[in-house]
Amino acid sequence: MDGTIGEIRLFAATFAPRSWAFCFGQIVAIQTNTALFSILGTTYGGNGSSTFGLPNFAGRLAVGAGTGAGLSSYVAGESFGTNTSTLLLSNLPNHTHATTASVTIPVYPDFGELGTPNGNILASKSNMYNTVQGDDDMKTASFNLTLAPAGGNTPISITQPVIGMNYIICLAGIFPSRN
């Protein structure tokens, strides 16, 4: 399979063709791959005197190096990103949640003038239920409603839908000329 030295292709087979290698971040000898070393240098690893590294695409996608308008800057060989993220209060945008509540106040019809609380007012004095509001103090009832954070700080997957394939790099072939 002909190629240009340093060229990277997606390859659907489970083997790397002759003169190609998988892009798994292997460290290779400069002595046996001088042409490829002259193109890659130590961008992807190695010590630069006897070894250099191939790109590692295992579980990764490629992104163009450089800076685009309104985009982040990426350097060739830079590795970044993660497959999961944990959403915390500190990294969620400001927002609110609406809430509604239904409150039931227990009633005791044994102590009032009437045998039922329906249509009557809850009082704090001897007349527990009364059809007319008098001078008696009303019982106050306060209810605190709290919306607490939900979740268990468990990472969630942020991996886009993908299909597994192999990236391969050309080790021997046509040497690319510079313009």
Side-chain angles (χ1 to χ4, degrees), residues 92-97:
L92 288 177
N94 248 355
H95 66 284
T96 59
H97 294 264

Side-chain angles (χ1 to χ4, degrees), residues 65-169:
T67 304
L71 300 174
S72 299
S73 176
Y74 301 107
V75 177
E78 179 182 12
S79 181
F80 58 91
T82 181
N83 289 330
T84 61
S85 181
T86 301
L87 298 177
L88 303 172
L89 290 177
S90 60
N91 59 14
L92 288 177
N94 248 355
H95 66 284
T96 59
H97 294 264
T99 184
T100 58
S102 175
V103 178
T104 303
I105 300 174
V107 294
Y108 307 97
D110 297 345
F111 301 105
E113 295 176 348
L114 303 172
T116 178
N118 292 342
N120 298 307
I121 300 168
L122 182 62
S124 64
K125 299 286 182 177
S126 60
N127 295 331
M128 183 121 175
Y129 300 104
N130 197 337
T131 55
V132 179
Q133 182 174 356
D135 293 335
D136 291 340
D137 294 332
M138 298 299 292
K139 284 188 176 178
T140 58
S142 60
F143 302 93
N144 295 322
L145 300 176
T146 303
L147 292 176
N153 292 340
T154 303
I156 60 170
S157 174
I158 56 174
T159 304
Q160 63 185 351
V162 297
I163 186 168
M165 294 182 75
N166 292 305
Y167 283 95
I168 56 173
I169 187 167

